[in-house]
Amino acid sequence: MSARQVTLAEVARQAGVSLATASRVLNGSTRQVSGDLSERVLRTAEELGYVPNASAQALARNSSSLVGLVVHDITDPYFSCIAAGVTRVAEEAGLVVVLGTTGRRPEREAELLSTLRAHRARAVVLAGSRTTDRAAQARLAAEIDAFTEQGGRVACVSQAKLGTDTVVPGNRAGGRALARALAGLGHKKFAVLGGPSELVVARDRLAGFKAGLADAGVAPPVVVNGAFTRDGGYEAALELLASKSRATCVFAVTDVMAMGAMAALRERGVRVPEDMSIAGFDDIPTLRDTVPALSTVRLPLEEMGEIAAGLVLDGGRDEARTVRVAGEVVLRASTAHN
Amino acid sequence: MSARQVTLAEVARQAGVSLATASRVLNGSTRQVSGDLSERVLRTAEELGYVPNASAQALARNSSSLVGLVVHDITDPYFSCIAAGVTRVAEEAGLVVVLGTTGRRPEREAELLSTLRAHRARAVVLAGSRTTDRAAQARLAAEIDAFTEQGGRVACVSQAKLGTDTVVPGNRAGGRALARALAGLGHKKFAVLGGPSELVVARDRLAGFKAGLADAGVAPPVVVNGAFTRDGGYEAALELLASKSRATCVFAVTDVMAMGAMAALRERGVRVPEDMSIAGFDDIPTLRDTVPALSTVRLPLEEMGEIAAGLVLDGGRDEARTVRVAGEVVLRASTAHN
DNA sequence: GCGTGGCCGGAAAGCGCTTTCCAGTGCTGC
DNA sequence: GCAGCACTGGAAAGCGCTTTCCGGCCACGC
């Protein structure tokens, strides 16, 4: 139990070389070490089962091999897809990802950033959606500043933050294109299941959708707001039904919300798409296989995670970069002609 | 840019106390510090925006605040639910979780453990399923030993590993109960979409299912193996259909596989449950809302993650503990009477 | 009144590594 | 043949923190 860990010093002693030499061999510094010694060190390290102490390295080098990833809820396919992209890139780069979940509490985001800063994470990907809550936003901005000042890089997914690299999906454009496509199906009365109004993602998608309807000369939609979750979609759909709206097509600003909404419609005996067409946004994998398959705006989620990780790890230029990824309207069985 | 980080020494100097005192105030050691000094330190720390360097702390204390979590694919709801449970508990305990993904490559598991060991993670939760590949298993066992010898704790979910705490779902019992329930629906010919034969989870569920059929006096099922993924289920289902089996009910050893299987059946015009009943295992949240809703064996996935994290973080007794969690058969619309 | 604890502050010795600086060696070039 | 250089190995100074140990102080007991 607790057999003391093998240290570099032991390896060095065992191999009959200095600490410096052992260090140089085992981490590939710029300095050369003769093949002879080098091999001896390698061999003893192997024999002793030496594993470098990452904390000590981080301390000595003043930089760790940690990359932070902050999401609201890892259970949500939107986030888990992004997480998959981020981890893939990080692991390829030999880094380790630290997963933080906020549970959608804005203050947690700042807390996590602070923790990550304590760990001297070299970068962090913020995948949460931006809130418009002033205080939380200021606190977060301060943490981001502190983090970058300390030499770390920050990238955001789908929420531009001052001075950070960002991957922004075409929320507005996607919403707009979707609206036109749906209007093209002949629908005249639309409803939108919007997210909480303080989320810019939700607002952008909604704004785009409205613009698209306007393009098509269709009346503005009824909007019902709900939480950005499956249950939020469920509740919002019930509320919509209760309102006796005459909508024939409903747009949920998120696939996950659409999922909840479909459950609500089904429970109330509203057939999709016969009685009501429904579309979402994101194209999370699970909803491609459902019946009816969900019409949506496809976002390359894993790729977005990869891009974000790439931005944040590529040694970093100074100015903030923004990468836009386009959404692609995919009409499936959940939307019908009207 | 890179404004040097505030260190404890600066706080101490600024507050006019020694390093020791500052440290004692800011981390709550066993030693008391007079209210006067204490407050002064706290205040300066606050003013300067001091954040302790986690690497330095880890080094000095010889223990970090990292908890590892190893999964195959964070995108898979099974794993993301477990991950949610683990992160919740870890974050409550003030720890930080490091997410490692294996992409189902057995050797990655050992690699990740080694990395985690380098970081002196204080514990790790292994949520991957055990392989029967001898070499990989030995390598993994060695890493687990090394990890525990170094003072870290290891817990496994659903795979007993020598000397580790384990959370084991009732795979066999669940499979058995499900088989009986399905037989009770009147089905006589069964098929099973099994996972890769080297996964004990898959084998246990299958074995339980067979036992349950035997209990009910029903003939053994046709078994088709596929990968433990949505696509694996899809392929296996196609293979099953091609085999012209007369099965009226199929059990996919995993909900995710069932999802793929349902897609395959649908494509081939096989109606569920009219032409074919189908059941899964796990009860991942997304499949409760689909049409038809999937019959399955419910496992409290998030709770399993919480339990695993709890086991591994509770200061640890010496002998390995095992917590069993029962699966509960839930029949929904995807299975019909025959 | 003085010895004996109990407390609290501070000095300093690490924790395991990286990296700078210095010393020694063998070459090259004239 | 020797100055100068490139190159390699080692000693040692940190990195930012924790913790042991020591010294000073006060309160107490006899």
Side-chain angles (χ1 to χ4, degrees):
Chain A
M1 183 105 312
S2 258
R4 271 252 302 81
Q5 187 58 21
V6 184
T7 88
L8 222 213
E10 287 175 52
V11 174
R13 189 161 38 71
Q14 191 82 247
V17 303
S18 78
L19 208 53
T21 303
S23 170
R24 293 198 266 252
V25 171
L26 294 172
N27 75 7
S29 80
T30 49
R31 292 273 306 259
Q32 288 283 327
V33 173
S34 77
D36 181 26
L37 289 193
S38 172
E39 196 200 328
R40 218 157 72 212
V41 171
L42 250 19
R43 191 152 28 79
T44 17
E46 174 71 35
E47 283 171 16
L48 267 44
Y50 170 72
V51 174
N53 182 322
S55 305
Q57 286 186 316
L59 182 58
R61 295 185 176 143
N62 190 28
S63 98
S64 76
S65 53
L66 265 36
V67 177
L69 169 59
V70 176
V71 303
H72 282 326
D73 173 11
I74 193 62
T75 268
D76 182 326
Y78 173 80
F79 291 117
S80 66
C81 284
I82 290 177
V86 171
T87 48
R88 181 173 321 127
V89 171
E91 292 186 351
E92 266 167 24
L95 301 174
V96 148
V97 359
V98 168
L99 175 65
T101 57
T102 68
R104 297 175 203 283
R105 295 185 303 281
E107 74 280 9
R108 270 295 284 162
E109 211 162 345
E111 280 174 33
L112 283 168
L113 218 33
S114 169
T115 304
L116 257 7
R117 181 151 66 94
H119 285 271
R120 300 297 185 271
R122 81 166 55 173
V124 66
V125 173
L126 259 27
S129 308
R130 166 155 74 173
T131 169
T132 51
D133 171 336
R134 280 286 171 204
Q137 210 172 317
R139 169 98 200 277
L140 181 56
E143 283 296 345
I144 290 180
D145 276 359
F147 191 87
T148 53
E149 288 230 330
Q150 184 193 291
R153 294 194 64 84
V154 178
C156 295
V157 173
S158 93
Q159 50 175 342
K161 279 283 181 347
L162 243 53
T164 67
D165 292 331
T166 313
V167 178
V168 311
N171 284 325
R172 190 173 297 256
R176 187 165 184 173
L178 179 63
R180 287 157 137 174
L182 295 176
L185 254 28
H187 293 278
K188 300 287 178 222
K189 303 278 297 177
F190 286 87
V192 174
L193 273 23
S197 56
E198 67 273 18
L199 292 183
V200 287
V201 175
R203 292 198 311 199
D204 285 352
R205 291 177 181 181
L206 173 57
F209 195 79
K210 283 178 173 169
L213 292 186
D215 291 348
V218 171
V222 181
V223 177
V224 180
N225 287 329
F228 234 46
T229 61
R230 182 264 177 210
D231 291 346
Y234 180 90
E235 301 294 345
L238 287 186
E239 193 178 322
L240 174 66
L241 291 179
S243 77
K244 302 285 180 205
S245 121
R246 308 285 306 147
T248 60
C249 183
V250 45
F251 165 49
V253 295
T254 269
D255 274 7
V256 171
M257 290 183 74
M259 188 163 89
M262 288 176 76
L265 295 180
R266 196 178 313 124
E267 275 181 22
R268 287 293 187 271
V270 179
R271 293 167 306 166
V272 174
E274 294 82 354
D275 303 330
M276 177 85 89
S277 284
I278 181 166
F281 204 117
D282 287 338
D283 195 29
I284 61 178
T286 36
L287 293 187
R288 298 174 198 163
D289 275 335
T290 54
V291 176
L294 187 69
S295 293
T296 189
V297 178
R298 161 175 302 168
L299 250 29
L301 297 173
E302 285 204 31
E303 193 186 329
M304 285 164 58
E306 289 175 1
I307 294 174
L311 283 176
V312 101
L313 293 182
D314 80 344
R317 341 203 335 79
D318 267 355
E319 79 280 14
R321 290 155 298 174
T322 297
V323 176
R324 300 185 181 282
V325 307
E328 177 199 355
V329 174
V330 227
L331 294 187
R332 299 202 181 98
S334 70
T335 46
H337 281 271
N338 189 42
Chain B
M1 182 103 313
S2 259
R4 270 250 303 82
Q5 188 58 20
V6 183
T7 95
L8 223 214
E10 288 174 52
V11 175
R13 188 163 38 70
Q14 192 83 245
V17 302
S18 79
L19 208 52
T21 302
S23 170
R24 293 199 265 252
V25 171
L26 294 172
N27 74 8
S29 80
T30 49
R31 291 273 306 259
Q32 288 282 329
V33 174
S34 76
D36 181 27
L37 289 194
S38 173
E39 196 200 331
R40 218 156 73 212
V41 171
L42 251 19
R43 189 153 29 80
T44 16
E46 173 72 36
E47 283 172 16
L48 267 43
Y50 170 72
V51 174
N53 182 322
S55 305
Q57 286 186 314
L59 181 58
R61 295 183 178 146
N62 190 29
S63 99
S64 77
S65 54
L66 264 35
V67 177
L69 169 60
V70 176
V71 302
H72 282 327
D73 173 9
I74 192 61
T75 268
D76 182 327
Y78 173 81
F79 291 117
S80 66
C81 284
I82 291 177
V86 172
T87 47
R88 181 174 321 127
V89 171
E91 293 187 350
E92 267 167 22
L95 301 175
V96 147
V97 359
V98 169
L99 175 65
T101 57
T102 69
R104 298 175 203 283
R105 294 185 304 281
E107 73 281 8
R108 270 296 283 164
E109 212 162 344
E111 280 175 32
L112 284 168
L113 218 32
S114 170
T115 305
L116 256 7
R117 181 152 66 96
H119 285 271
R120 300 297 183 273
R122 80 165 56 171
V124 61
V125 173
L126 259 27
S129 309
R130 167 155 72 173
T131 169
T132 52
D133 172 336
R134 280 286 170 204
Q137 211 173 318
R139 169 100 199 276
L140 180 56
E143 282 296 344
I144 290 181
D145 277 359
F147 191 87
T148 53
E149 288 229 331
Q150 184 194 289
R153 294 193 64 83
V154 177
C156 295
V157 173
S158 93
Q159 50 175 343
K161 278 282 182 345
L162 244 54
T164 66
D165 292 332
T166 312
V167 178
V168 310
N171 284 324
R172 189 174 298 254
R176 186 166 184 172
L178 179 63
R180 287 157 137 173
L182 295 176
L185 255 28
H187 292 277
K188 300 289 179 217
K189 304 277 298 176
F190 287 87
V192 174
L193 273 23
S197 56
E198 68 273 18
L199 291 182
V200 287
V201 175
R203 292 198 311 197
D204 285 352
R205 291 178 181 181
L206 173 57
F209 194 78
K210 283 178 173 170
L213 291 186
D215 290 347
V218 171
V222 180
V223 178
V224 180
N225 287 329
F228 233 45
T229 61
R230 181 264 176 210
D231 290 347
Y234 180 89
E235 301 294 345
L238 287 186
E239 193 178 322
L240 175 67
L241 291 179
S243 77
K244 301 287 179 204
S245 122
R246 307 285 305 149
T248 59
C249 183
V250 44
F251 165 48
V253 295
T254 269
D255 274 7
V256 172
M257 289 183 74
M259 188 163 89
M262 288 176 76
L265 295 180
R266 196 178 314 124
E267 274 181 20
R268 287 295 187 268
V270 179
R271 293 167 306 165
V272 174
E274 295 82 354
D275 303 330
M276 177 84 90
S277 285
I278 180 165
F281 203 118
D282 287 338
D283 195 30
I284 62 177
T286 36
L287 293 187
R288 298 174 198 163
D289 275 336
T290 54
V291 176
L294 187 68
S295 293
T296 189
V297 178
R298 162 176 302 171
L299 250 29
L301 297 173
E302 285 204 31
E303 193 187 329
M304 285 165 58
E306 289 175 0
I307 294 174
L311 283 176
V312 101
L313 293 183
D314 79 345
R317 344 203 330 77
D318 267 354
E319 80 280 15
R321 290 156 298 174
T322 297
V323 176
R324 302 186 179 282
V325 307
E328 178 197 356
V329 173
V330 222
L331 294 187
R332 299 202 181 100
S334 71
T335 46
H337 281 271
N338 188 42

